Amino acid sequence: MRLLIEKIKLALQKRTGVAQQKKSHATWVAKGYKNEPLVTFVIQSHNKSLQVCHILPKLRMMKDAEIIVIDDGSSKEHTDRLISELTGANELMIRSNDLFENVTYDKAIRMANGKYIALMQDDDDFNDISWTEEAVRLFEKYPKMVILGGKWGLDVQFDHANQKGCGKRQDMGDSKFRFVHAVNRAPMWINKPLYEQHLHHIDFRFAPFQYDDDELCLRSWLNGLQVGWYDAQFFSLTSGGMRLWNSAFTQEQMERNGKLLFQLYADKMAGITQQVEASNKTL
């Protein structure tokens, strides 16, 4: 019945012209939508709308950019706040229900129009936009680099006795940039043209989360590409969502996906390490 009433209402509006809006191509152009921004910021969020809203003005300092917020199962309060704050033509939201990082980041990458995509978390913070400018400079300097991490450079190690793998944080010392086995989020930058040509997707076998970033980086090296690290000088606003909401689940995924990582890459690490070392000799 409600659907029938709505149908009649819309028919009357159409006939009388009441529903006509004063829209034109000029009003659309005035919105300033960018079809091909240089950068896309993608922020994964669950019940942390205040933190996301805190960094939005900083991200807007990058003019040639779009912003995509993944609202993954937040309560109505947080969803409503994000909807009200994402007011720009180049500010979009993906709403999903507890799909976690693997699936949602993959969908956001496909949706993003930026040449370079920065995958971020809802606890990230930074002082200024210089980390973005430095990332673009590094991508232009190293055209085979498909992934650039700004948090930790990881040395992927395998426990052959228990047949498990994981990424161990490297001590970068005074280095400002280095090629590494892998990096983790966030930020985790992706060169989208290279990604689409060679990598295509985040491996869904690692869904819903954990070690899919390690896998993507190792797969990059196997495809003749490079993975780099730089210090983005991020700091945390709050506890990360995985530790805050999913500590037990995280341990379960580490066990499961650590074994999967071993199966896929334990016998390939010697060759990957040689590529990393050869790349660092060119710096």
Side-chain angles (χ1 to χ4, degrees), residues 39-261:
V39 168
T40 297
F41 300 109
V42 176
I43 310 167
Q44 172 87 14
S45 181
H46 174 78
N47 285 342
K48 289 187 182 176
S49 58
L50 287 174
Q51 287 83 350
V52 174
C53 293
H54 168 75
I55 65 170
L56 282 177
K58 301 182 185 182
L59 295 177
R60 290 171 180 142
M61 294 171 64
M62 179 70 182
K63 300 303 181 183
D64 193 7
E66 69 178 353
I67 300 171
I68 299 175
V69 176
I70 303 167
D71 178 29
D72 190 24
S74 295
S75 65
K76 187 176 185 301
E77 170 195 356
H78 292 276
T79 299
D80 289 348
R81 182 178 291 118
L82 290 173
I83 290 172
S84 66
E85 290 294 328
L86 294 169
T87 56
N90 301 286
E91 298 175 2
L92 314 169
M93 187 170 78
I94 299 174
R95 180 72 170 91
S96 58
N97 292 304
D98 291 331
L99 294 181
F100 295 89
E101 296 176 356
N102 182 294
V103 173
T104 55
Y105 275 137
D106 183 86
K107 290 187 179 297
I109 291 169
R110 297 169 192 266
M111 181 178 177
N113 284 338
K115 181 178 181 180
Y116 305 116
I117 304 170
L119 303 182
M120 302 173 64
Q121 301 277 343
D122 55 14
D123 59 321
D124 292 336
D125 199 5
F126 49 90
N127 289 321
D128 56 53
I129 208 66
S130 60
W131 63 279
T132 296
E133 298 164 349
E134 178 64 7
V136 171
R137 185 189 72 80
L138 288 167
F139 275 120
E140 291 175 346
K141 185 175 182 179
Y142 301 106
K144 290 175 58 181
M145 186 169 66
V146 64
I147 294 175
L148 174 65
K151 186 178 182 182
W152 297 334
L154 302 178
D155 178 21
V156 178
Q157 301 176 1
F158 292 100
D159 178 353
H160 286 264
N162 295 300
Q163 296 192 336
K164 291 192 299 185
C166 68
K168 299 292 185 181
R169 180 180 176 181
Q170 289 190 28
D171 181 3
M172 295 303 180
D174 296 329
S175 299
K176 294 184 178 180
F177 173 81
R178 187 184 299 180
F179 291 109
V180 291
H181 285 161
V183 294
N184 62 354
R185 299 180 284 259
M188 182 179 186
W189 286 91
I190 291 176
N191 179 324
K192 187 172 182 179
L194 286 180
Y195 176 93
E196 289 185 322
Q197 183 178 356
H198 298 280
L199 303 178
H200 312 300
H201 63 90
I202 297 175
D203 194 329
F204 293 139
R205 288 174 291 182
F206 289 79
F209 65 93
Q210 201 66 29
Y211 297 156
D212 54 285
D213 42 7
D214 297 79
E215 189 282 329
L216 188 64
C217 291
L218 296 180
R219 182 156 36 106
S220 298
W221 288 108
L222 291 183
N223 278 274
L225 303 172
Q226 295 173 315
V227 176
W229 166 89
Y230 80 122
D231 185 3
Q233 298 185 340
F234 270 33
F235 48 91
S236 183
L237 280 168
T238 59
S239 296
M242 290 301 137
R243 293 189 299 274
L244 184 62
W245 312 112
N246 306 291
S247 58
F249 193 7
T250 299
Q251 291 301 315
E252 178 185 351
Q253 285 297 105
M254 289 175 65
E255 181 71 19
R256 175 186 179 277
N257 287 349
K259 292 180 178 179
L260 179 56
L261 195 68

